[in-house]
Amino acid sequence: MRADVHMHCGFSNDSETRPEDMVESAIAKGLSVICFTDHYDKDNLDWGDEAIFDVESYFQKMIELQEEYRDQIDIRIGAEIGMQPYLAEYYQDFMAQHPFDFVIGSVHSVLEHDVALDFFQKHSDPEGYKIYFEEMLQDVQKIKSYDVLGHLDYIVRYSNQGSKGFDLNDYMDIIEEILKQVIAHGKGIEMNMSGLKYGLGAPHPQPEIIKRYRELGGEIITVGADGHIPEHIAYDYHLADDILKSCGFKYYTEFKGRKPLFVKI
């Protein structure tokens, strides 16, 4: 596995890292492809300011990095959009105006509040999971301007009991409906290695979900560590190939110009 296509730098509201430092770390770790996917969470105001970046400055910086490091690593320009059902038209227009290579669609907010903050002070774990997956289903039914669905079971990271209190069987019916919508619209999912970093014992989503996605006919799967600092690039990548193979995949996916490229494991 030599491509990390989910990473953040100081253009994201939750990172202060220089993009050059992320690139240098990726090169040192032997990666051949990276994609910056900084947060563009329209209408997420829980952080104090809207969690979006200046697109013109972002592209200018990324193009400079592509030129500076063109003989060492393939740098692609992406974004991680924060999906909320009513933002479908907004993101459709936004993506039509900007030549991203890759777009991750993630659910960070439900009921218009960020789940990483005080969501589970207001909701029990089972109630929170139900709300989260129900809104995610609405998101993938309405929003088409993304390439892969990010960290599908991200909600577990912030719940009261974590993975110990998450019984996948209780939610598999709605997760399958989400996966079917993703596949029907020609989208994919990601295997986000940060679940291991956060001590959940598995990537996001759990391998059982990845395997079910493949069984349902899903073919597009990207891999990223979701790093916000250089040390987290390619996190636990020594496990990635075997996890994908165990779930039935012979290839992983990269994107360039919003087109999927399939790479043999």
Side-chain angles (χ1 to χ4, degrees):
M1 185 65 58
R2 299 189 63 192
D4 188 338
V5 297
H6 188 157
M7 66 177 60
H8 302 271
C9 66
F11 282 96
S12 290
N13 62 300
D14 57 355
S15 175
E16 297 181 355
T17 304
R18 296 189 324 138
E20 292 89 345
D21 293 337
M22 299 297 277
V23 175
E24 293 285 352
S25 178
I27 293 170
K29 293 182 179 183
L31 298 184
S32 57
V33 174
I34 59 172
C35 186
F36 282 94
T37 52
D38 279 290
H39 288 295
Y40 201 94
D41 272 51
K42 176 64 177 169
D43 288 358
N44 185 335
L45 302 176
D46 288 339
W47 289 90
D49 294 306
E50 190 158 29
I52 60 177
F53 55 79
D54 181 84
V55 181
E56 183 177 345
S57 298
Y58 185 65
F59 269 89
Q60 181 179 343
K61 184 61 178 179
M62 294 299 147
I63 291 170
E64 289 174 0
L65 292 174
Q66 286 177 330
E67 178 61 24
E68 181 178 354
Y69 292 97
R70 61 188 175 89
D71 294 328
Q72 299 177 70
I73 194 166
D74 185 348
I75 300 172
R76 298 174 190 170
I77 307 172
E80 181 180 11
I81 61 172
M83 298 198 295
Q84 299 187 66
Y86 67 90
L87 290 173
E89 185 175 351
Y90 173 86
Y91 280 131
Q92 191 69 35
D93 292 342
F94 178 75
M95 291 303 162
Q97 297 173 38
H98 304 293
F100 288 104
D101 285 306
F102 177 50
V103 179
I104 301 170
S106 295
V107 181
H108 298 127
S109 297
V110 295
L111 304 179
E112 300 184 30
H113 292 288
D114 196 309
V115 301
L117 301 179
D118 61 352
F119 184 75
F120 281 104
Q121 294 176 22
K122 301 175 181 178
H123 303 283
S124 67
D125 286 5
E127 180 184 30
Y129 295 148
K130 183 175 184 292
I131 292 169
Y132 182 80
F133 290 124
E134 286 178 349
E135 187 158 315
M136 181 179 285
L137 180 57
Q138 293 180 51
D139 287 326
V140 296
Q141 288 170 333
K142 295 179 179 181
I143 298 175
K144 307 298 187 295
S145 49
Y146 71 98
D147 300 313
V148 302
L149 180 62
H151 44 50
L152 190 152
D153 57 5
Y154 165 88
I155 188 72
V156 177
R157 187 190 305 178
Y158 298 103
S159 63
N160 294 303
Q161 296 187 60
S163 56
K164 294 179 181 178
F166 181 64
D167 187 342
L168 181 58
N169 294 322
D170 292 340
Y171 307 96
M172 188 54 99
D173 286 349
I174 190 167
I175 289 172
E176 284 194 3
E177 287 304 312
I178 292 167
L179 295 175
K180 288 175 182 177
Q181 286 291 317
V182 167
I183 294 166
H185 294 129
K187 310 300 182 183
I189 66 171
E190 74 161 348
M191 183 170 75
N192 185 310
M193 302 301 282
S194 71
L196 293 159
K197 179 181 68 184
Y198 283 97
L200 299 178
H204 292 303
Q206 297 179 16
E208 291 88 343
I209 297 174
I210 298 173
K211 183 178 181 181
R212 187 62 184 138
Y213 166 71
R214 184 72 191 97
E215 291 170 347
L216 290 169
E219 297 180 340
I220 297 171
I221 188 161
T222 61
V223 182
D226 203 351
H228 292 66
I229 59 175
E231 292 83 353
H232 291 159
I233 289 176
Y235 192 89
D236 270 356
Y237 259 37
H238 64 286
L239 303 174
D241 288 2
D242 286 344
I243 295 173
L244 287 178
K245 288 177 181 178
S246 72
C247 294
F249 284 91
K250 297 180 180 179
Y251 297 83
Y252 67 91
T253 316
E254 303 168 3
F255 277 81
K256 193 164 190 173
R258 305 293 304 278
K259 302 295 184 183
L261 307 170
F262 295 92
V263 182
K264 190 172 182 179
I265 298 171

